[in-house]
Structure formats: structure tokens, C-alpha cells
Amino acid sequence: MATILTAVILALIGLVLGGGGIRLAMLGGSWYYVIVGLAFLITAWLLFRRRSTGLWLYAAIVIGTLCWAVWEAGFDWWDLGPRGGVIVLLALWLLTPWARRGLTGPDGRAPLILAVLASLAVAGYSMTADPKDIAGELSADKVTPTADLGGNVPEGEWHFYGRTPFGQRYSPLNQITVDNVASLQPAWTYRTGDVKGPDDIRETTYQVTPLKIGDALYICTPHNFAIAIDATTGKEKWRFDPKIKLDPNRQHQTCRGVSYYADGKVAAGQPCPARVYLPTSDARLIALDAANGQVCASFAEGGTLNLLANMPYPKSGYYYSTSAPLIVGGKIIVGGAVNDNYSTQEPSGVIRAFDVDSGALLWNWDSGNPDQTTPLPAGQTYTNNSPNMWSTPSADEKLGLLYVPLGNQTPDQLGAGRSANVEKFSSSITALDLNSGQVRWVRQTVHHDLWDMDVPAQPSLVDITTSSGVVPGLVGPTKQGDLYVLDRRSGEPIIPVKEVPAPGGAIEGDHTSPTQPESDLSFNPKPLTGADMWGITMFDQLACRIELKGLRYEGRYTPPSEQGSLVYPGNFGVFNWGGVAVDPVRQVMFGMPTYLAFKSQLIPRDQVPPPDEGRGSEQGLNRNEGAPYAVVMGPFLSPLGIPCQAPPWGYVAGADLRTGKIAYKHRNGTVRDMTPLPLPFKVGVPGIGGPMITAGGVAFLGAAVDDYLRAYDLTTGRQLWKARLPAGGQSTPMTYTVADGRQFVVIVAGGHGSVGTKPGDYVMAYALPK
């Protein structure tokens, strides 16, 4: 009976593989599945007839699959497992007495045992090798021992989102080193009490990087509470509730940071000598006394600045600041997030500079009307739907320049009718005069962006030693994986940038750019092929191969289509808002390149279903009201809900900013929090968040979708320490010292709705033992 049941199972497998294989072959894919499906059917027939030659044929299936798998994937265990796992397990079953009972003819055990042993030997070897790992070292030379860190921030403090206006995410502290970081232990934990409630249907993300000034940390929460915490003990000093109302139109419920300013003109004993500025998701900017959290009534209108002033289409929930404004030169620079792909009638992406003391508007730069930077008078509105800055800028006050990472005009995937100004500034790094808002230079990273490849991260400013001397540099990470290393005075490349051919064939009425820029320092992955498809088993891997062939895909920048296009890297980004960290002394960078393919399908307007209430996410159906097409977007997943492309999906990486050479890339993170069982397999998982570097030669990073904070050797990229977090760590860590000189590392653990990590309200501090 067991033999007959085995034959039936093999026959069913043969039908599935053969049927799917024929479909794949007709689409131009691999013929392996047709061949192995037929071999399964013949094996099933032989076992049904009680012929032991079925074992000989199955041994050939095992060996043939092994050879094919190694030819396609090399000695990578995670690529080999799905190809051969089911086949080897069935071979082990066929070696049992129950499966072989009643078979006649030459004994087939020996060839089958040899085939299984060969497979196990290859599997064992592949577990010790990683062909996708790049091992190397960054130079430990202190190229510029007195490097410019971008301001007069005390060594033990963190005054800006990126520590200084340069956005380096680098601390000169060196108490924690590669030799002692493994001894880090929890110092204190603080809980904000701000968690997603049952009435909040928007996704909640907690991405704040705390500021540290004096003896206090300053944070915001997803629902925009501002909180001060004692930096030594983790005890709450004060909190402020702006009482925002929930809004179903709001695409995100998040806060990445607050801003700090000390007003030297305020007399001792007067209110608000130092201020914390809180951006809210209902489009306000509120000034608070850093000492007690009281509203600073002298700022704007009773302490509150209305960011919807002069906005076209000021719909509730469509515009708000998710990132910390930058305060420099007596100005507070404010950008904002605009809901992606909701409508063509969106607010403006205008960037505004306000007087940090009074809240008076000093200048406004609207990329849709870039020459008019004098304050817009009452009754006039900015250009609707112009490219926006949803991240944070950086600034060089000595040069008088502000560096703005710009997004795209929504709808992101439809480019017909864009103005000349949109075509110029969309998806670019633009330098503005800090005092007037006038454009000084533009470096576009995508031409005629149809893929939501906006520049997502704060540029990092670092001086670079070149053959011509030291050049004031800028490092701009992008979603497509290119890192632009530019002369920040002019925007000209320090590391070469070239134009490369790009796919054509946009929808009727639109066009594509014939070429796209590409930096010589790039983490852009190779194009996907059928051999890159993945799954838990050969069955879902086959499904992914079939779907890949059914999508339009001609490599990076394949245009959107009604057929459905593959976007790789996807708009999740190789780099996202967390950017990279740079060491200005060693002139190197550390980052977390992530690789996830997305699908994008245009839906003609007459086929778009009626609206529903659950439209807050950027994944799924984006309605694009007023445009001829809606778009369905989302990650390229198998029928089991895992990425169709083979891992790694996430790395840690280091590169030399002088040479543009990538020194190392290592898999980062485990599937512990991606699977029903807490499996510690180091696959290399995606993540979103940013890194930090210290002068002790240690890089810190949370971000990955398993809930850990990790420390790495900056020189080699090897993991040195990790701490289990109580929730997702999708924020950028920071570090500081307290009065007794002890160095702390702090990360916020609150999870991220888009990547599905565990929500929470934790602020976690770590330090070496006293």
C-alpha cells in the first residue's frame, strides 16, 4: 500500500512540475521542470508496476537536479535548498523498507544512496561557503585627523538628526571600541506609552533618532508627543501632547525627530532660552521650551506655525512633516511629505525657511516655480503637486548652501504633462542658497522618474582627499543603489558619474529617458533572471519563475505597463530614509543596502474599483485620482508570501569614499521574526533605518526586520555584538556621554507598519559595565 501511495504522490508532483514547466518553457524559461516532471511520472509508473528500476530513475533525478542546481546557483545553500530539498526528502523515503516493499528487479538502493550522499556532501560544503559574500577591509588610516564634523556640537552630545548639520551620523566618542563592544549591556529602558490604538487605521512607524543636549534626550512619538528624558537614568522629565486628530487620509503616522535651538538673545530667567521644535502630522510646527515642554508663545501664532499656509489643495491628511526640520543660520528649514499617488490635486512640495525666533517666513523655494523665492503673499498659492522633500536636508553654513533631497511629482509612475521645472528637479539633490533660497546647482539622479525613485535620505557632507587636494564633498544615497559623491560647492562628481542606456517603451502619451545616470560607486544589483527565483520549495520557486516571465522586465528602469512591470531595485530602495553613515576621519562609509523587487501595474481609469476606507498604505491599489491610470504596487512575493528573489535581501557594506571601491558586503540579519518558528538562520534580511559610526571603529545598526540592535567592526563589517529588542528597531541609533563620562548607545524600538515588524514604544539605552 505504501508503494502505491508513493507512486500516486510522485505522479501528482510530476503533473504539477510538468504542467508548470510546459507553461514556463512556452514563456521562454528553463526546460528543467518539463524534464523532471516527465521523469517523476515515469518513476511513478515504474513503482506502480512494482519495478525497482524506478529507484534507478529516481537516483538519476537526484543527480540531474544536483548538477542543474549547482550550474544555476553555485554553491549557495540558500539557493540550492529549494531546488533539491523536496527531491532529497523523497529519496530518503524511497530508501525505507515501506516504500520498497514488493519491488522486483535489480536492487536500486545503491545508486540512490550514492545520489543522496552526493547531495548531502554538496549541501554540507555549501553551508560553509557564501559566494555572495564580499570580504575585505576598509583602510584604518586617519586621513584627516582634524576632520570637519559640521558644527560646534560638543563631543558627547547629538544636536541634530544626523548629529550636526553635515548629516554624517558620526560621533567622535571612542570609549566603546571593537575590543570592548561585546560587553555592552542594558543601561535603562523608557516606554513612551504611545502605541497604535484600535481607531488608528493608518500604518504606524516609529523612526525617531533622539537628540541629546545637556542632561536630556528629546524625542517625538508616532502620534507626535514630544518627550524629554533624563539621559543618565531614562526617567521622564516632561511631555507635551499636541492633541492631533486621527485622519483616514493620512498615509503615515510617524515622526523621525525633533529639532533643537538655543536662543542666545533670551535673557536669563525668561521663557524659552532653548527650544524644541515639534513637527506634527496635522501640518503644524510647535515651539516648546526645552526646560519644561511649555509652548513658546513668542514663536509664530502663539507658539504654533501653520504649515498649510499658501498651500494649494490643503486637504486634511495630505501634507505633513514626518522628518525633523533643520535649524541652521538662524533659520528653520521645513519640508513635508505629500501623500503618494492619491490624486493629481495634491499640496505643494515647497521648502520654506522661517525665522527660528519669530516664525516669520524668510523665503520659500517651490520646485514648480523655482525663481520666486521671496515670501509668497497672502492669497497666492504654491505650485500644486511639485516635487517635495520628505526627508531632512543638510547644510554647510560656511559655504552658505543647503542640500535638499527631492522626491517626485505624484503620480510617481505617470510622467505625461510634467512641466520643465518638474523634469529638472524631480529626484535630484539640489543645492539652495541658505540665505535666499535661490538654486545654486542641481544633480539629478533619475531622469523622468517613473519608478518612485525619489532621493530619500539626508545627504552626508564630508571632505574628500583627491589627487587635486581636499575637496568639500557630499555623499548622496539613492533608492536605486547609486551613491553620488559630489563636490558640494558645484555638484560636480568626485567619483565619476556616467550616462548609461535605459529601456524604452512607455505607455501611449508618455516617454522614457534614453539614458540614466549611474555613479561608479554603486550598490545596484545585477538584473534578475529565472535562476534568481526562490521559494521554500521547488513548487513556489516554479510559480515565481512563471510570474517573472509574465511581467515586463528589461532590467533597471523598465517602464510601468498595463501588463505589469518588475521594478528592481524596488521603490523600497537599496537605500531609504536612513541613508548611510560616513567617517570623516577615515573617509569611508557604512550602510545597509537592501534588495527587494517590486511589481507595478497600471490600471486604466475605467477599470479602477470604487474607493474604500483602507487606502493609507503605499502598497496595493494607488488610485491616482485625476490621472488616466491607477497603479497596483507591492513586493514581488511567492504564493507563500516570501520574496520571489533569492536571498540575501539585506547586507551591511563598507566603501572607501576616496576610491569609490566597495570593500565588503556581508549578509545581515536572520529570519527569526519572519517565520512562525524563531529560526536564527542568517539569510540576510531587508530592513529600513539608518546606521551610526563612532570614532571607536564601531558601526551600530538596527533596521533589519529581525528585532536586534547590532554592532559591527567598521573596518571589516563583521558583527561584534547584538542585543535583542522588544520591538522592531526601524530607527537610527545615536550615542552620547553623561556627566561621569560614561558612553551610552540609544535606539528607539517601535516597529514599522510597512515591513510588519513588532510595534512598541521603547527607548533602549546600552552602556559598558561601570
Side-chain angles (χ1 to χ4, degrees):
M1 182 63 183
T3 305
I4 299 300
L5 182 59
T6 300
V8 170
I9 291 172
L10 292 179
L12 292 174
I13 291 174
L15 290 172
V16 170
L17 294 178
I22 290 171
R23 185 178 176 190
L24 178 62
M26 292 177 66
L27 292 169
S30 171
W31 279 81
Y32 162 78
Y33 297 93
V34 175
I35 296 169
V36 79
L38 180 61
F40 262 89
L41 289 172
I42 296 173
T43 301
W45 173 250
L46 292 172
L47 292 180
F48 184 78
R49 298 293 302 273
R50 307 281 183 169
R51 303 287 179 83
S52 61
T53 47
L55 301 185
W56 289 78
L57 179 55
Y58 198 83
I61 292 175
V62 174
I63 292 297
T65 297
L66 178 63
C67 295
W68 168 76
V70 171
W71 172 73
E72 265 208 339
F75 292 99
D76 185 326
W77 162 249
W78 296 108
D79 279 357
L80 295 177
R83 289 169 167 84
V86 169
I87 287 177
V88 172
L89 287 175
L90 287 171
L92 293 173
W93 165 251
L94 287 172
L95 288 171
T96 65
W98 306 282
R100 293 183 292 104
R101 184 172 293 130
L103 295 183
T104 60
D107 191 344
R109 283 181 295 175
L112 191 53
I113 289 171
L114 290 174
V116 169
L117 289 175
S119 297
L120 294 178
V122 169
Y125 173 74
S126 69
M127 290 179 184
T128 67
D130 188 353
K132 295 177 181 176
D133 182 85
I134 299 174
E137 293 189 1
L138 291 169
S139 170
D141 293 344
K142 294 184 177 181
V143 184
T144 48
T146 58
D148 188 353
L149 305 187
N152 298 319
V153 176
E155 284 193 354
E157 301 200 348
W158 195 286
H159 286 201
F160 296 82
Y161 173 69
R163 189 176 176 273
T164 75
F166 276 18
Q168 295 169 344
R169 284 166 283 280
Y170 169 83
S171 170
L173 298 179
N174 59 10
Q175 182 183 118
I176 299 170
T177 69
V178 294
D179 296 321
N180 64 23
V181 67
S183 299
L184 279 180
Q185 59 188 27
W188 52 257
T189 299
Y190 170 78
R191 299 194 66 176
T192 69
D194 182 4
V195 293
K196 183 174 180 177
D199 297 327
D200 191 351
I201 63 173
R202 302 305 89 195
E203 73 166 19
T204 302
T205 66
Y206 202 7
Q207 302 168 337
V208 66
T209 298
L211 305 183
K212 194 270 184 178
I213 300 96
D215 64 353
L217 297 179
Y218 299 99
I219 64 170
C220 54
T221 71
H223 293 90
N224 302 136
F225 300 138
I227 302 173
I229 305 168
D230 186 287
T232 303
T233 65
K235 303 297 184 183
E236 182 177 308
K237 296 167 74 74
W238 57 256
R239 74 166 49 207
F240 171 79
D241 181 0
K243 295 181 168 43
I244 64 165
K245 295 181 180 178
L246 299 179
D247 191 327
N249 284 327
R250 200 171 291 144
Q251 205 161 36
H252 301 282
Q253 193 66 58
T254 192
C255 188
R256 296 192 183 96
V258 295
S259 307
Y260 172 83
Y261 169 70
D263 188 350
K265 299 185 293 295
V266 175
Q270 296 299 309
C272 300
R275 298 175 178 178
V276 171
Y277 292 83
L278 172 69
T280 69
S281 55
D282 55 3
R284 292 179 287 160
L285 183 67
I286 303 172
L288 305 172
D289 191 323
N292 53 32
Q294 298 296 309
V295 174
C296 297
S298 62
F299 179 75
E301 298 179 12
T304 299
L305 190 63
N306 175 21
L307 298 178
L308 291 179
N310 298 99
M311 273 291 175
Y313 305 112
K315 303 174 185 176
S316 174
Y318 273 60
Y319 175 90
Y320 40 98
S321 288
T322 58
S323 298
L326 179 69
I327 298 177
V328 64
K331 304 170 184 66
I332 182 164
I333 315 296
V334 183
V338 176
N339 281 348
D340 265 347
N341 302 324
Y342 272 31
S343 169
T344 57
Q345 297 181 347
E346 298 266 5
S348 177
V350 63
I351 295 160
R352 289 167 285 187
F354 300 94
D355 184 282
V356 73
D357 294 316
S358 67
L361 181 62
L362 300 177
W363 55 257
N364 40 234
W365 183 74
D366 175 4
S367 59
N369 183 23
D371 298 326
Q372 184 181 347
T373 61
T374 55
L376 206 63
Q380 293 188 23
T381 59
Y382 302 112
T383 307
N384 71 293
N385 208 13
S386 52
N388 64 311
M389 177 187 70
W390 55 269
S391 184
T392 299
S394 51
D396 186 332
E397 196 168 356
K398 293 177 184 176
L399 293 177
L401 291 178
L402 179 76
Y403 304 98
V404 174
L406 282 176
N408 201 355
Q409 182 185 73
T410 187
D412 295 307
Q413 292 78 20
L414 301 173
R418 290 178 181 170
S419 70
N421 286 326
V422 169
E423 295 285 20
K424 177 179 180 179
F425 294 107
S426 177
S427 304
S428 72
I429 301 169
T430 296
L432 304 178
D433 187 291
L434 188 57
N435 293 314
S436 69
Q438 289 288 321
V439 175
R440 292 293 174 255
W441 55 258
V442 182
R443 172 62 58 175
Q444 192 167 60
T445 64
V446 184
H447 305 320
H448 195 67
D449 186 356
L450 301 175
W451 306 272
D452 189 22
M453 292 296 174
D454 40 15
V455 180
Q458 179 185 33
S460 298
L461 310 186
V462 55
D463 295 343
I464 306 291
T465 301
T466 72
S467 58
S468 303
V470 178
V471 176
L474 174 150
V475 179
T478 64
K479 286 184 176 181
Q480 60 271 31
D482 294 320
L483 268 80
Y484 287 83
V485 183
L486 310 173
D487 184 329
R488 65 177 182 265
R489 298 168 297 186
S490 63
E492 291 302 309
I494 297 174
I495 292 176
V497 175
K498 57 183 176 292
E499 292 285 331
V500 298
I507 59 172
E508 184 177 355
D510 205 344
H511 68 278
T512 61
S513 173
T515 64
Q516 292 288 355
E518 181 177 278
S519 172
D520 277 2
L521 176 50
S522 181
F523 291 88
N524 174 38
K526 294 179 180 179
L528 293 175
T529 68
D532 297 310
M533 294 300 98
W534 199 67
I536 298 296
T537 68
M538 61 195 308
F539 307 112
D540 48 317
Q541 184 185 53
L542 172 58
C544 286
R545 294 179 90 131
I546 292 170
E547 186 172 9
L548 174 66
K549 284 295 184 180
L551 294 169
R552 182 178 179 187
Y553 181 57
E554 297 148 37
R556 187 161 71 155
Y557 303 121
T558 299
S561 63
E562 291 186 47
Q563 169 189 349
S565 296
L566 190 71
V567 182
Y568 184 63
N571 66 343
F572 188 78
V574 175
F575 298 104
N576 207 290
W577 59 264
V580 298
V582 300
D583 183 331
V585 176
R586 295 168 60 175
Q587 297 184 21
V588 298
M589 61 128 295
F590 179 87
M592 182 192 62
T594 292
Y595 299 101
L596 283 179
F598 270 57
K599 296 185 297 184
S600 175
Q601 182 180 12
L602 299 178
I603 309 297
R605 178 57 52 194
D606 59 3
Q607 299 177 25
V608 178
D612 57 40
E613 290 301 314
R615 60 175 186 153
S617 175
E618 294 173 59
Q619 297 179 22
L621 177 67
N622 288 248
R623 300 190 61 81
N624 293 341
E625 298 291 355
Y629 292 89
V631 61
V632 174
M633 296 172 55
F636 182 32
L637 302 179
S638 78
L640 298 180
I642 62 173
C644 265
Q645 81 215 56
W649 308 302
Y651 290 87
V652 290
D656 190 313
L657 296 174
R658 291 175 293 163
T659 64
K661 302 299 183 184
I662 296 171
Y664 57 78
K665 277 178 71 177
H666 305 307
R667 294 176 191 256
N668 183 56
T670 69
V671 295
R672 171 168 178 163
D673 297 301
M674 296 177 68
T675 54
L677 296 175
L679 302 173
F681 299 145
K682 190 177 180 180
V683 173
V685 297
I688 188 166
M692 170 191 70
I693 291 174
T694 71
V698 182
F700 290 91
L701 175 70
V705 295
D706 60 349
D707 300 336
Y708 288 97
L709 172 64
R710 293 180 168 92
Y712 308 83
D713 184 334
L714 176 61
T715 300
T716 65
R718 296 300 178 187
Q719 183 177 304
L720 303 171
W721 168 86
K722 67 178 180 180
R724 181 72 174 158
L725 297 173
Q730 280 67 57
S731 60
T732 301
M734 50 82 71
T735 188
Y736 61 90
T737 54
V738 293
D740 65 2
R742 196 177 184 204
Q743 183 180 351
F744 287 74
V745 174
V746 168
I747 188 171
V748 166
H752 193 293
S754 288
V755 297
T757 52
K758 183 180 177 181
D761 62 341
Y762 300 87
V763 183
M764 310 290 295
Y766 301 88
L768 296 173
K770 286 188 177 181

